[in-house]
Amino acid sequence: MAPLHKGSDDPESAPFRRLALNPFYGEADPVGGMTEAPPRHRMPERPLPPSSAYQLVHDELMLDGNSRLNLATFVTTWMEPQAGVLMAECRDKNMIDKDEYPRTAELERRCVAMLADLWHAPDPSAAVGCSTTGSSEACMLAGMALKRRWAQRNADRYPATARPNLVMGVNVQVCWEKFCTFWEVEPRLVPMEGDRYHLDAASAAALCDENTIGVVAVLGSTFDGSYEPVADICAALDDLQARTGLDVPVHVDGASGAMVAPFLDEDLVWDFRLPRVSSINTSGHKYGLVYPGVGWALWRSAEELPEELVFRVNYLGGDMPTFALNFSRPGAQVVAQYYTFLRLGREGYRAVQQTSRDVARGLAERVEAMGDFRLLTRGDQLPVFAFTTAPDITSYDVFDVSRRLRENGWLVPAYTFPAHREDLSVLRIVCRNGFSADLATLLVEDLKRLLPELRSQPRPFTRDKGAATAFHH
Protein backbone atom coordinates (compact mmCIF):
# COMPACT_ATOMS: atom_id res chain seq x y z
CA MET A 1 0.00 0.00 0.00
CA ALA A 2 1.31 3.45 -0.90
CA PRO A 3 1.84 5.86 1.98
CA LEU A 4 -0.74 8.59 2.48
CA HIS A 5 1.86 11.32 1.97
CA LYS A 6 5.12 10.83 0.11
CA GLY A 7 7.75 13.32 -0.95
CA SER A 8 10.37 12.73 -3.59
CA ASP A 9 13.51 14.60 -4.57
CA ASP A 10 14.04 15.50 -8.23
CA PRO A 11 17.77 14.99 -9.00
CA GLU A 12 17.50 16.97 -12.25
CA SER A 13 16.33 20.11 -10.45
CA ALA A 14 18.84 19.85 -7.59
CA PRO A 15 21.54 22.07 -9.22
CA PHE A 16 18.98 24.84 -9.66
CA ARG A 17 17.47 24.75 -6.16
CA ARG A 18 19.55 27.64 -4.83
CA LEU A 19 17.83 29.78 -7.48
CA ALA A 20 14.57 29.23 -5.59
CA LEU A 21 15.79 31.97 -3.28
CA ASN A 22 15.33 35.60 -4.27
CA PRO A 23 18.45 37.51 -3.15
CA PHE A 24 16.21 39.99 -1.35
CA TYR A 25 15.21 37.19 1.05
CA GLY A 26 18.49 37.97 2.81
CA GLU A 27 17.20 40.52 5.28
CA ALA A 28 20.49 42.27 6.09
CA ASP A 29 22.63 41.59 3.01
CA PRO A 30 20.95 40.69 -0.33
CA VAL A 31 24.19 39.28 -1.73
CA GLY A 32 25.34 37.26 1.22
CA GLY A 33 24.26 34.18 3.09
CA MET A 34 21.27 33.11 0.99
CA THR A 35 23.21 30.86 -1.37
CA GLU A 36 21.54 27.52 -0.69
CA ALA A 37 17.86 26.66 -0.53
CA PRO A 38 16.74 24.61 2.47
CA PRO A 39 15.98 20.91 1.88
CA ARG A 40 12.36 19.99 1.19
CA HIS A 41 12.14 16.47 2.64
CA ARG A 42 14.28 16.69 5.75
CA MET A 43 14.60 19.35 8.39
CA PRO A 44 17.25 21.98 7.61
CA GLU A 45 20.24 22.14 9.90
CA ARG A 46 19.92 25.85 10.64
CA PRO A 47 17.00 28.25 11.06
CA LEU A 48 15.85 30.78 8.47
CA PRO A 49 14.75 34.35 9.05
CA PRO A 50 10.96 34.40 9.49
CA SER A 51 10.38 36.51 6.37
CA SER A 52 12.40 34.05 4.28
CA ALA A 53 10.55 31.02 5.60
CA TYR A 54 7.24 32.80 5.03
CA GLN A 55 8.06 33.75 1.45
CA LEU A 56 9.21 30.26 0.51
CA VAL A 57 5.97 28.72 1.76
CA HIS A 58 3.84 31.55 0.38
CA ASP A 59 5.31 31.25 -3.11
CA GLU A 60 4.67 27.52 -3.29
CA LEU A 61 1.08 27.92 -2.11
CA MET A 62 0.38 30.29 -5.00
CA LEU A 63 0.10 27.13 -7.14
CA ASP A 64 -3.01 26.03 -5.22
CA GLY A 65 -6.37 26.69 -6.83
CA ASN A 66 -8.49 29.70 -5.93
CA SER A 67 -10.87 28.48 -3.23
CA ARG A 68 -13.57 30.96 -4.27
CA LEU A 69 -13.69 29.31 -7.71
CA ASN A 70 -13.85 25.81 -6.22
CA LEU A 71 -17.40 24.71 -7.07
CA ALA A 72 -16.66 21.21 -5.82
CA THR A 73 -16.43 21.94 -2.12
CA PHE A 74 -19.29 22.54 0.31
CA VAL A 75 -16.87 24.17 2.74
CA THR A 76 -17.07 27.91 3.45
CA THR A 77 -14.47 29.91 1.52
CA TRP A 78 -15.39 33.46 2.60
CA MET A 79 -16.09 35.16 5.93
CA GLU A 80 -16.16 38.76 7.06
CA PRO A 81 -12.83 40.29 8.19
CA GLN A 82 -14.16 40.67 11.73
CA ALA A 83 -14.63 36.91 11.95
CA GLY A 84 -11.04 36.41 10.84
CA VAL A 85 -9.84 38.76 13.58
CA LEU A 86 -11.81 36.85 16.23
CA MET A 87 -10.43 33.55 14.99
CA ALA A 88 -6.88 34.88 15.15
CA GLU A 89 -7.50 36.00 18.73
CA CYS A 90 -8.70 32.52 19.71
CA ARG A 91 -6.41 30.20 17.78
CA ASP A 92 -4.22 29.64 20.84
CA LYS A 93 -7.13 28.55 23.06
CA ASN A 94 -7.50 24.79 23.46
CA MET A 95 -11.20 23.90 23.39
CA ILE A 96 -10.77 20.91 25.70
CA ASP A 97 -9.49 23.10 28.55
CA LYS A 98 -12.93 24.32 29.51
CA ASP A 99 -11.91 25.32 33.02
CA GLU A 100 -9.12 27.52 31.62
CA TYR A 101 -11.24 29.06 28.88
CA PRO A 102 -14.69 29.25 30.46
CA ARG A 103 -16.07 31.90 28.12
CA THR A 104 -15.17 29.87 25.03
CA ALA A 105 -16.91 26.90 26.66
CA GLU A 106 -19.93 29.10 27.32
CA LEU A 107 -20.09 30.18 23.66
CA GLU A 108 -20.03 26.51 22.65
CA ARG A 109 -22.92 25.83 25.05
CA ARG A 110 -24.89 28.74 23.59
CA CYS A 111 -24.37 27.46 20.05
CA VAL A 112 -25.72 24.05 21.08
CA ALA A 113 -28.77 25.71 22.63
CA MET A 114 -29.37 27.81 19.51
CA LEU A 115 -29.19 24.76 17.26
CA ALA A 116 -31.50 22.80 19.58
CA ASP A 117 -34.04 25.61 19.31
CA LEU A 118 -33.58 25.83 15.54
CA TRP A 119 -34.16 22.08 15.18
CA HIS A 120 -37.17 22.00 17.54
CA ALA A 121 -35.67 19.95 20.38
CA PRO A 122 -38.33 19.18 23.04
CA ASP A 123 -36.44 21.28 25.62
CA PRO A 124 -33.73 23.43 24.00
CA SER A 125 -32.53 24.70 27.38
CA ALA A 126 -31.58 21.15 28.33
CA ALA A 127 -30.11 20.28 24.94
CA VAL A 128 -27.46 17.58 24.75
CA GLY A 129 -24.80 18.28 22.15
CA CYS A 130 -21.24 19.28 21.39
CA SER A 131 -19.00 20.87 18.83
CA THR A 132 -16.72 18.68 16.71
CA THR A 133 -14.02 19.17 14.12
CA GLY A 134 -16.62 18.64 11.40
CA SER A 135 -19.52 16.45 10.38
CA SER A 136 -17.34 13.38 10.05
CA GLU A 137 -16.55 13.38 13.76
CA ALA A 138 -20.15 14.29 14.55
CA CYS A 139 -21.38 11.30 12.54
CA MET A 140 -18.94 9.02 14.34
CA LEU A 141 -20.27 10.21 17.70
CA ALA A 142 -23.88 9.76 16.63
CA GLY A 143 -23.13 6.29 15.31
CA MET A 144 -21.37 5.32 18.55
CA ALA A 145 -24.42 6.42 20.55
CA LEU A 146 -26.74 4.40 18.29
CA LYS A 147 -24.59 1.30 18.63
CA ARG A 148 -24.22 1.60 22.41
CA ARG A 149 -27.97 2.03 22.92
CA TRP A 150 -28.63 -1.02 20.71
CA ALA A 151 -25.99 -3.03 22.63
CA GLN A 152 -27.64 -2.13 25.92
CA ARG A 153 -31.02 -3.32 24.65
CA ASN A 154 -29.46 -6.53 23.33
CA ALA A 155 -27.01 -7.33 26.10
CA ASP A 156 -28.16 -10.95 26.14
CA ARG A 157 -27.19 -11.44 22.45
CA TYR A 158 -24.34 -9.03 21.81
CA PRO A 159 -21.51 -9.62 21.13
CA ALA A 160 -21.95 -13.39 21.25
CA THR A 161 -24.49 -13.96 18.48
CA ALA A 162 -25.65 -10.60 17.16
CA ARG A 163 -23.89 -8.35 14.67
CA PRO A 164 -25.17 -4.77 14.54
CA ASN A 165 -26.07 -3.14 11.24
CA LEU A 166 -26.79 0.38 10.03
CA VAL A 167 -29.22 1.14 7.19
CA MET A 168 -28.50 4.00 4.80
CA GLY A 169 -28.43 4.96 1.14
CA VAL A 170 -25.41 4.25 -1.01
CA ASN A 171 -25.12 8.03 -1.43
CA VAL A 172 -23.98 8.65 2.17
CA GLN A 173 -20.75 10.49 2.83
CA VAL A 174 -17.71 8.24 3.18
CA CYS A 175 -17.48 8.97 6.92
CA TRP A 176 -20.38 6.53 7.46
CA GLU A 177 -18.45 3.77 5.73
CA LYS A 178 -15.52 4.60 8.00
CA PHE A 179 -17.75 4.41 11.04
CA CYS A 180 -18.98 0.96 10.06
CA THR A 181 -15.42 -0.23 9.48
CA PHE A 182 -13.92 1.27 12.64
CA TRP A 183 -16.76 0.24 14.97
CA GLU A 184 -17.52 -3.14 13.37
CA VAL A 185 -21.02 -2.42 12.14
CA GLU A 186 -22.49 -4.00 9.00
CA PRO A 187 -23.41 -1.28 6.48
CA ARG A 188 -26.70 -2.02 4.74
CA LEU A 189 -26.70 0.25 1.71
CA VAL A 190 -29.77 0.92 -0.40
CA PRO A 191 -28.60 1.29 -4.03
CA MET A 192 -29.79 3.92 -6.47
CA GLU A 193 -32.50 2.83 -8.88
CA GLY A 194 -33.56 4.65 -12.05
CA ASP A 195 -34.15 8.31 -11.26
CA ARG A 196 -34.07 7.72 -7.48
CA TYR A 197 -30.64 8.85 -6.34
CA HIS A 198 -31.06 8.54 -2.57
CA LEU A 199 -32.70 6.53 0.22
CA ASP A 200 -36.46 5.94 0.09
CA ALA A 201 -38.75 4.99 2.94
CA ALA A 202 -39.81 1.53 1.79
CA SER A 203 -36.26 0.37 1.05
CA ALA A 204 -35.02 1.64 4.42
CA ALA A 205 -37.71 -0.23 6.38
CA ALA A 206 -37.18 -3.40 4.34
CA LEU A 207 -33.54 -3.70 5.40
CA CYS A 208 -34.18 -3.27 9.13
CA ASP A 209 -34.18 -6.18 11.56
CA GLU A 210 -33.54 -6.85 15.25
CA ASN A 211 -29.83 -6.03 14.76
CA THR A 212 -30.37 -2.60 13.18
CA ILE A 213 -28.90 0.14 15.37
CA GLY A 214 -30.51 2.89 13.30
CA VAL A 215 -31.29 4.42 9.91
CA VAL A 216 -29.28 7.35 8.54
CA ALA A 217 -31.31 9.88 6.56
CA VAL A 218 -29.34 12.53 4.67
CA LEU A 219 -30.73 16.03 4.46
CA GLY A 220 -28.82 17.08 1.39
CA SER A 221 -27.05 14.39 -0.62
CA THR A 222 -23.57 15.32 -1.78
CA PHE A 223 -24.23 13.55 -5.09
CA ASP A 224 -26.99 15.86 -6.31
CA GLY A 225 -28.08 18.19 -3.50
CA SER A 226 -31.43 16.48 -2.89
CA TYR A 227 -33.10 15.97 0.49
CA GLU A 228 -33.96 12.45 1.58
CA PRO A 229 -37.60 12.06 2.77
CA VAL A 230 -36.96 12.03 6.51
CA ALA A 231 -40.64 12.20 7.52
CA ASP A 232 -41.58 9.36 5.15
CA ILE A 233 -38.71 7.23 6.48
CA CYS A 234 -39.87 7.82 10.05
CA ALA A 235 -43.45 6.95 9.08
CA ALA A 236 -42.28 3.69 7.48
CA LEU A 237 -40.36 2.82 10.65
CA ASP A 238 -43.43 3.67 12.76
CA ASP A 239 -45.37 1.18 10.68
CA LEU A 240 -42.57 -1.38 11.04
CA GLN A 241 -42.73 -1.03 14.82
CA ALA A 242 -46.51 -1.41 14.81
CA ARG A 243 -46.20 -4.64 12.81
CA THR A 244 -43.09 -6.21 14.35
CA GLY A 245 -42.25 -4.39 17.57
CA LEU A 246 -38.87 -3.26 16.18
CA ASP A 247 -38.05 0.25 17.41
CA VAL A 248 -35.41 1.68 15.05
CA PRO A 249 -34.14 5.23 15.68
CA VAL A 250 -33.22 7.70 12.94
CA HIS A 251 -30.14 9.86 12.74
CA VAL A 252 -30.35 12.84 10.37
CA ASP A 253 -27.07 13.65 8.65
CA GLY A 254 -27.75 17.31 8.04
CA ALA A 255 -24.15 18.20 7.19
CA SER A 256 -25.45 20.81 4.76
CA GLY A 257 -29.25 20.76 4.81
CA ALA A 258 -29.66 21.26 8.54
CA MET A 259 -28.39 24.82 8.06
CA VAL A 260 -30.52 25.44 4.95
CA ALA A 261 -33.93 23.85 5.54
CA PRO A 262 -34.73 25.67 8.83
CA PHE A 263 -34.50 29.01 7.01
CA LEU A 264 -35.80 28.25 3.51
CA ASP A 265 -38.06 25.20 3.98
CA GLU A 266 -39.77 25.94 7.27
CA ASP A 267 -42.76 23.73 6.47
CA LEU A 268 -40.55 20.71 5.83
CA VAL A 269 -40.68 18.43 8.88
CA TRP A 270 -37.36 16.61 9.20
CA ASP A 271 -35.93 17.40 12.66
CA PHE A 272 -36.75 16.71 16.32
CA ARG A 273 -40.42 17.38 15.59
CA LEU A 274 -40.37 13.76 14.44
CA PRO A 275 -40.26 11.62 17.61
CA ARG A 276 -38.21 8.93 15.85
CA VAL A 277 -35.34 11.34 15.12
CA SER A 278 -32.79 10.57 17.80
CA SER A 279 -29.87 12.79 16.75
CA ILE A 280 -28.80 15.35 14.15
CA ASN A 281 -25.43 16.58 12.94
CA THR A 282 -24.39 19.50 10.81
CA SER A 283 -21.22 21.15 9.52
CA GLY A 284 -20.72 24.64 10.85
CA HIS A 285 -18.09 25.02 8.15
CA LYS A 286 -20.51 24.34 5.30
CA TYR A 287 -23.81 26.21 5.19
CA GLY A 288 -23.17 27.15 8.81
CA LEU A 289 -20.95 29.79 7.09
CA VAL A 290 -17.75 29.27 9.14
CA TYR A 291 -14.26 28.49 7.89
CA PRO A 292 -13.19 24.83 8.39
CA GLY A 293 -13.33 23.00 10.68
CA VAL A 294 -16.31 22.89 13.00
CA GLY A 295 -19.28 20.56 13.22
CA TRP A 296 -22.11 19.96 15.65
CA ALA A 297 -23.84 16.86 17.03
CA LEU A 298 -27.09 17.08 18.99
CA TRP A 299 -29.29 14.47 20.64
CA ARG A 300 -33.01 14.74 21.38
CA SER A 301 -32.39 14.28 25.11
CA ALA A 302 -29.91 12.79 27.54
CA GLU A 303 -31.61 9.41 27.10
CA GLU A 304 -30.31 9.15 23.53
CA LEU A 305 -26.68 9.60 24.60
CA PRO A 306 -25.51 6.74 26.86
CA GLU A 307 -23.86 8.08 29.99
CA GLU A 308 -20.82 5.81 29.73
CA LEU A 309 -19.77 7.55 26.49
CA VAL A 310 -19.57 10.92 28.21
CA PHE A 311 -16.38 12.04 29.95
CA ARG A 312 -16.49 14.75 32.57
CA VAL A 313 -14.07 17.58 33.26
CA ASN A 314 -14.06 20.34 35.86
CA TYR A 315 -15.66 23.54 34.59
CA LEU A 316 -15.64 26.56 36.92
CA GLY A 317 -15.63 24.20 39.86
CA GLY A 318 -18.58 22.32 38.36
CA ASP A 319 -19.17 19.31 36.18
CA MET A 320 -18.73 19.71 32.39
CA PRO A 321 -19.59 16.67 30.26
CA THR A 322 -17.61 16.17 27.04
CA PHE A 323 -18.11 13.75 24.19
CA ALA A 324 -15.51 13.82 21.43
CA LEU A 325 -13.02 11.74 19.48
CA ASN A 326 -10.57 14.64 19.34
CA PHE A 327 -9.29 16.47 22.37
CA SER A 328 -6.92 19.36 21.66
CA ARG A 329 -8.24 21.76 19.02
CA PRO A 330 -8.47 25.54 18.77
CA GLY A 331 -11.51 27.41 19.99
CA ALA A 332 -11.39 29.74 16.98
CA GLN A 333 -14.00 27.95 14.87
CA VAL A 334 -16.51 27.68 17.73
CA VAL A 335 -16.10 31.39 18.45
CA ALA A 336 -16.57 32.11 14.74
CA GLN A 337 -19.77 30.04 14.75
CA TYR A 338 -21.15 32.04 17.67
CA TYR A 339 -20.14 35.27 15.94
CA THR A 340 -22.01 34.22 12.81
CA PHE A 341 -25.14 33.23 14.73
CA LEU A 342 -25.01 36.57 16.55
CA ARG A 343 -24.17 38.56 13.43
CA LEU A 344 -26.82 37.16 11.11
CA GLY A 345 -29.67 35.88 13.22
CA ARG A 346 -32.47 33.95 11.55
CA GLU A 347 -33.31 36.65 9.04
CA GLY A 348 -29.67 37.07 8.05
CA TYR A 349 -29.22 33.33 7.54
CA ARG A 350 -32.43 33.26 5.54
CA ALA A 351 -31.18 36.03 3.25
CA VAL A 352 -27.76 34.41 2.72
CA GLN A 353 -29.14 30.92 2.02
CA GLN A 354 -31.89 32.28 -0.23
CA THR A 355 -29.31 34.14 -2.27
CA SER A 356 -27.27 30.95 -2.69
CA ARG A 357 -30.38 29.03 -3.74
CA ASP A 358 -31.41 31.76 -6.20
CA VAL A 359 -27.94 31.73 -7.75
CA ALA A 360 -28.02 27.92 -8.01
CA ARG A 361 -31.47 27.83 -9.61
CA GLY A 362 -30.65 30.61 -12.05
CA LEU A 363 -27.36 28.97 -13.02
CA ALA A 364 -29.05 25.59 -13.49
CA GLU A 365 -31.62 27.14 -15.83
CA ARG A 366 -28.89 28.77 -17.92
CA VAL A 367 -26.93 25.52 -18.15
CA GLU A 368 -30.08 23.69 -19.28
CA ALA A 369 -30.84 26.38 -21.88
CA MET A 370 -27.54 25.66 -23.64
CA GLY A 371 -29.11 22.44 -24.94
CA ASP A 372 -26.05 20.25 -24.40
CA PHE A 373 -26.92 19.19 -20.85
CA ARG A 374 -29.66 17.42 -18.89
CA LEU A 375 -30.32 18.47 -15.30
CA LEU A 376 -30.73 15.86 -12.58
CA THR A 377 -31.49 18.45 -9.89
CA ARG A 378 -32.16 22.18 -10.05
CA GLY A 379 -30.72 23.65 -6.86
CA ASP A 380 -34.13 24.04 -5.24
CA GLN A 381 -33.20 22.06 -2.10
CA LEU A 382 -29.53 22.45 -1.29
CA PRO A 383 -28.09 25.27 -3.45
CA VAL A 384 -26.45 22.47 -5.42
CA PHE A 385 -27.29 20.89 -8.75
CA ALA A 386 -26.03 18.00 -10.83
CA PHE A 387 -26.22 17.61 -14.60
CA THR A 388 -24.98 15.34 -17.35
CA THR A 389 -24.60 15.58 -21.11
CA ALA A 390 -27.71 15.30 -23.25
CA PRO A 391 -28.34 11.93 -24.95
CA ASP A 392 -27.35 13.24 -28.39
CA ILE A 393 -23.96 14.55 -27.24
CA THR A 394 -21.31 12.03 -28.32
CA SER A 395 -18.25 14.18 -29.04
CA TYR A 396 -17.44 14.92 -25.40
CA ASP A 397 -18.40 13.86 -21.89
CA VAL A 398 -18.63 15.41 -18.44
CA PHE A 399 -14.98 14.64 -17.74
CA ASP A 400 -13.94 16.69 -20.77
CA VAL A 401 -16.06 19.59 -19.52
CA SER A 402 -14.49 19.42 -16.05
CA ARG A 403 -10.99 19.30 -17.50
CA ARG A 404 -11.53 22.26 -19.83
CA LEU A 405 -13.20 24.41 -17.16
CA ARG A 406 -10.20 23.82 -14.91
CA GLU A 407 -8.04 25.51 -17.53
CA ASN A 408 -9.95 28.71 -16.73
CA GLY A 409 -9.60 28.27 -12.97
CA TRP A 410 -13.02 26.67 -12.29
CA LEU A 411 -13.06 23.47 -10.23
CA VAL A 412 -16.24 21.63 -11.25
CA PRO A 413 -16.14 17.95 -10.30
CA ALA A 414 -17.11 15.16 -12.67
CA TYR A 415 -17.82 11.71 -11.27
CA THR A 416 -19.72 8.47 -11.77
CA PHE A 417 -22.67 7.54 -9.57
CA PRO A 418 -22.45 4.44 -7.31
CA ALA A 419 -24.11 1.01 -7.31
CA HIS A 420 -26.85 0.39 -9.83
CA ARG A 421 -26.22 3.71 -11.60
CA GLU A 422 -22.56 3.36 -12.54
CA ASP A 423 -23.70 4.18 -16.07
CA LEU A 424 -24.41 7.77 -15.05
CA SER A 425 -21.61 10.35 -14.97
CA VAL A 426 -22.36 13.90 -13.92
CA LEU A 427 -21.01 17.34 -13.15
CA ARG A 428 -21.99 19.02 -9.87
CA ILE A 429 -21.94 22.68 -8.91
CA VAL A 430 -22.09 23.84 -5.27
CA CYS A 431 -23.23 27.44 -4.80
CA ARG A 432 -22.00 28.89 -1.50
CA ASN A 433 -22.02 32.27 0.15
CA GLY A 434 -19.55 34.36 -1.84
CA PHE A 435 -20.38 32.71 -5.18
CA SER A 436 -22.30 35.65 -6.61
CA ALA A 437 -24.57 36.02 -9.64
CA ASP A 438 -21.70 37.83 -11.36
CA LEU A 439 -19.36 34.88 -10.82
CA ALA A 440 -22.11 32.55 -12.08
CA THR A 441 -22.35 34.66 -15.25
CA LEU A 442 -18.59 34.41 -15.75
CA LEU A 443 -18.84 30.62 -15.41
CA VAL A 444 -21.64 30.50 -18.00
CA GLU A 445 -19.63 32.64 -20.41
CA ASP A 446 -16.57 30.41 -20.06
CA LEU A 447 -18.69 27.29 -20.61
CA LYS A 448 -20.31 28.79 -23.70
CA ARG A 449 -16.88 29.63 -25.12
CA LEU A 450 -15.75 26.04 -24.60
CA LEU A 451 -18.77 24.33 -26.14
CA PRO A 452 -17.86 24.86 -29.84
CA GLU A 453 -14.45 23.28 -29.23
CA LEU A 454 -15.96 20.41 -27.28
CA ARG A 455 -18.59 19.79 -29.96
CA SER A 456 -15.88 19.64 -32.62
CA GLN A 457 -14.03 16.80 -30.88
CA PRO A 458 -14.13 13.46 -32.71
CA ARG A 459 -14.84 11.67 -29.44
CA PRO A 460 -14.52 12.12 -25.66
CA PHE A 461 -10.85 12.50 -24.76
CA THR A 462 -11.05 11.26 -21.19
CA ARG A 463 -8.97 8.15 -20.71
CA ASP A 464 -9.05 7.36 -16.99
CA LYS A 465 -12.54 7.90 -15.60
CA GLY A 466 -11.52 5.93 -12.56
CA ALA A 467 -9.33 8.87 -11.55
CA ALA A 468 -12.37 11.12 -11.17
CA THR A 469 -13.39 12.16 -7.71
CA ALA A 470 -16.82 12.77 -6.27
CA PHE A 471 -15.58 15.58 -3.99
CA HIS A 472 -17.85 14.49 -1.12
CA HIS A 473 -16.64 17.17 1.26
Side-chain angles (χ1 to χ4, degrees):
M1 176 185 294
L4 291 177
H5 301 283
K6 181 180 179 181
S8 60
D9 288 310
D10 180 2
E12 293 184 4
S13 68
F16 303 99
R17 288 250 28 245
R18 70 175 184 84
L19 301 179
L21 291 168
N22 186 317
F24 281 95
Y25 288 6
E27 289 185 313
D29 180 1
V31 297
M34 302 296 290
T35 58
E36 181 180 349
R40 287 185 294 199
H41 302 293
R42 59 180 176 82
M43 290 184 67
E45 295 298 324
R46 302 181 62 187
L48 287 175
S51 59
S52 301
Y54 166 81
Q55 200 66 43
L56 285 168
V57 177
H58 173 81
D59 286 356
E60 187 161 352
L61 290 176
M62 288 194 300
L63 295 174
D64 273 345
N66 185 332
S67 64
R68 292 282 297 280
L69 301 184
N70 183 356
L71 303 182
T73 183
F74 286 79
V75 172
T76 295
T77 54
W78 182 88
M79 290 189 76
E80 293 172 315
Q82 292 87 342
V85 172
L86 275 174
M87 294 180 76
E89 292 172 352
C90 298
R91 61 192 171 198
D92 60 337
K93 296 181 179 180
N94 189 352
M95 272 296 302
I96 199 62
D97 293 333
K98 299 183 186 298
D99 55 336
E100 295 179 28
Y101 307 113
R103 302 323 301 170
T104 302
E106 170 62 15
L107 298 190
E108 178 186 29
R109 190 190 67 80
R110 292 179 193 174
C111 287
V112 168
M114 289 179 181
L115 289 171
D117 179 64
L118 188 67
W119 297 338
H120 300 95
D123 182 4
S125 64
V128 179
C130 60
S131 67
T132 63
T133 54
S135 269
S136 292
E137 183 188 1
C139 290
M140 297 282 178
L141 299 180
M144 289 166 59
L146 289 174
K147 182 180 177 183
R148 185 60 60 94
R149 288 177 61 207
W150 171 87
Q152 291 173 345
R153 295 193 303 269
N154 293 272
D156 59 328
R157 301 188 304 119
Y158 177 77
T161 60
R163 184 188 181 195
N165 66 71
L166 183 65
V167 174
M168 49 196 168
V170 72
N171 56 299
V172 292
Q173 214 266 2
V174 69
C175 68
W176 287 107
E177 298 176 42
K178 290 183 178 180
F179 165 76
C180 290
T181 299
F182 296 165
W183 275 271
E184 298 181 323
V185 172
E186 175 196 353
R188 292 191 173 177
L189 301 176
V190 175
M192 297 179 178
E193 295 288 353
D195 293 333
R196 177 181 60 73
Y197 305 123
H198 57 219
L199 184 66
D200 69 293
S203 299
L207 287 181
C208 293
D209 58 23
E210 68 276 8
N211 293 328
T212 301
I213 66 173
V215 172
V216 175
V218 180
L219 196 71
S221 172
T222 57
F223 277 88
D224 62 1
S226 62
Y227 295 160
E228 291 187 339
V230 182
D232 291 346
I233 292 170
C234 288
L237 296 175
D238 290 342
D239 178 67
L240 178 69
Q241 183 176 10
R243 291 185 288 105
T244 66
L246 293 175
D247 185 8
V248 179
V250 169
H251 172 79
V252 178
D253 183 348
S256 294
M259 292 305 295
V260 174
F263 307 109
L264 303 187
D265 308 297
E266 294 180 80
D267 294 333
L268 180 67
V269 179
W270 62 273
D271 53 16
F272 290 126
R273 285 171 288 183
L274 297 167
R276 195 164 291 276
V277 172
S278 171
S279 50
I280 302 172
N281 72 273
T282 197
S283 288
H285 61 224
K286 292 180 181 174
Y287 288 98
L289 308 180
V290 174
Y291 286 139
V294 60
W296 300 93
L298 271 71
W299 287 263
R300 168 180 291 278
S301 68
E303 294 180 3
E304 276 74 27
L305 182 57
E307 178 65 25
E308 61 265 33
L309 294 179
V310 179
F311 289 81
R312 299 188 176 277
V313 297
N314 182 275
Y315 171 51
L316 292 179
D319 188 49
M320 169 61 74
T322 65
F323 183 30
L325 296 179
N326 296 294
F327 271 66
S328 294
R329 58 187 174 92
Q333 283 79 6
V334 168
V335 170
Q337 183 74 83
Y338 182 71
Y339 164 84
T340 308
F341 285 168
L342 194 66
R343 164 79 174 90
L344 293 178
R346 291 192 181 222
E347 288 304 317
Y349 263 96
R350 184 173 292 110
V352 170
Q353 312 300 37
Q354 187 65 59
T355 297
S356 294
R357 180 178 282 182
D358 290 345
V359 169
R361 293 176 66 178
L363 181 54
E365 290 174 2
R366 296 166 77 178
V367 168
E368 184 179 42
M370 294 177 191
D372 284 41
F373 303 104
R374 176 175 67 87
L375 296 180
L376 276 67
T377 48
R378 297 179 172 273
D380 52 1
Q381 293 184 332
L382 288 188
V384 175
F385 66 97
F387 58 102
T388 188
T389 49
D392 58 334
I393 299 297
T394 59
S395 58
Y396 67 90
D397 59 17
V398 296
F399 301 96
D400 290 325
V401 177
S402 178
R403 173 174 49 80
R404 294 301 308 276
L405 284 174
R406 194 178 186 112
E407 294 172 4
N408 290 324
W410 302 103
L411 274 66
V412 178
Y415 53 92
T416 300
F417 271 25
H420 291 208
R421 285 312 314 264
E422 296 96 332
D423 60 304
L424 180 60
S425 298
V426 305
L427 295 150
R428 187 200 66 206
I429 291 178
V430 178
C431 297
R432 305 178 307 279
N433 183 37
F435 181 69
S436 64
D438 286 345
L439 285 174
T441 296
L442 293 175
L443 173 64
V444 168
E445 291 173 353
D446 282 343
L447 184 54
K448 284 182 176 179
R449 276 195 294 269
L450 289 174
L451 284 181
E453 298 177 31
L454 291 168
R455 291 166 183 156
S456 67
Q457 293 181 179
R459 55 175 175 76
F461 287 159
T462 305
R463 292 184 176 88
D464 183 15
K465 296 181 181 179
T469 174
F471 291 94
H472 288 172
H473 51 282

